[in-house]
Amino acid sequence: MTEAIAEYRRRHVTFLQGIAENLERHIRGHLVGVLNIDRVTARAKDPERFAEKARRSDEQGNPKYAKPLTEIQDQLGARVVVYYRDDVDNVAELINRYFQPIEQKELVPESQ
């Protein structure tokens, strides 16, 4: 497990951060001219968070990930925030033309 964590740390510095920056620019390019976009961000999973996730166990106490470098899918993440709830579906449809989401969350502020 420690080898996988060390390798992730190396990957994070050598290319994952750069890929996240490129991904953010790429997504922004697909959203040119789309109204009501608050922000677009992309990030590489923090090495400490990766290590924490890689060390998780299942209900029986066995390691949850035998090969964390290939099994942990959220090593890169992107977020598009829109101003209005009505814009979520339109932006999601546009983004989903180019990307296959692993996970989608709709977060709505408490002060609606």
Side-chain angles (χ1 to χ4, degrees), residues 72-110:
I72 295 176
Q73 297 180 349
D74 64 342
Q75 295 178 34
L76 288 172
R79 176 178 293 160
V80 178
V81 179
V82 297
Y83 288 115
Y84 305 106
R85 187 180 186 121
D86 291 344
D87 295 316
V88 171
D89 290 337
N90 294 334
V91 171
E93 182 180 320
L94 179 63
I95 292 297
N96 290 339
R97 288 183 200 164
Y98 303 100
F99 299 97
Q100 178 64 43
I102 294 172
E103 176 182 353
Q104 283 183 252
K105 290 182 183 178
E106 185 175 331
L107 301 176
V108 179
E110 292 179 20

Side-chain angles (χ1 to χ4, degrees), residues 1-73:
M1 184 64 59
T2 56
E3 296 91 20
I5 293 169
E7 175 61 16
Y8 182 81
R9 288 181 199 282
R10 186 190 69 74
R11 290 179 183 187
H12 188 268
V13 171
T14 58
F15 63 87
L16 285 175
Q17 289 178 341
I19 291 171
E21 291 170 10
N22 289 336
L23 175 62
E24 185 173 314
R25 278 193 297 276
H26 188 69
I27 292 170
R28 286 179 193 275
H30 287 299
L31 296 174
V32 168
V34 176
L35 300 177
N36 302 323
I37 302 291
D38 179 36
R39 65 184 165 273
V40 177
T41 58
R43 57 92 182 134
K45 186 174 212 65
D46 180 87
E48 295 306 316
R49 298 292 305 241
F50 179 87
E52 176 186 306
K53 192 168 188 176
R55 291 185 180 113
R56 289 184 186 164
S57 300
D58 64 16
E59 297 80 29
Q60 291 78 34
N62 300 313
K64 187 171 181 176
Y65 302 101
K67 297 179 182 179
L69 289 170
T70 57
E71 294 175 333
I72 295 176
Q73 297 180 349

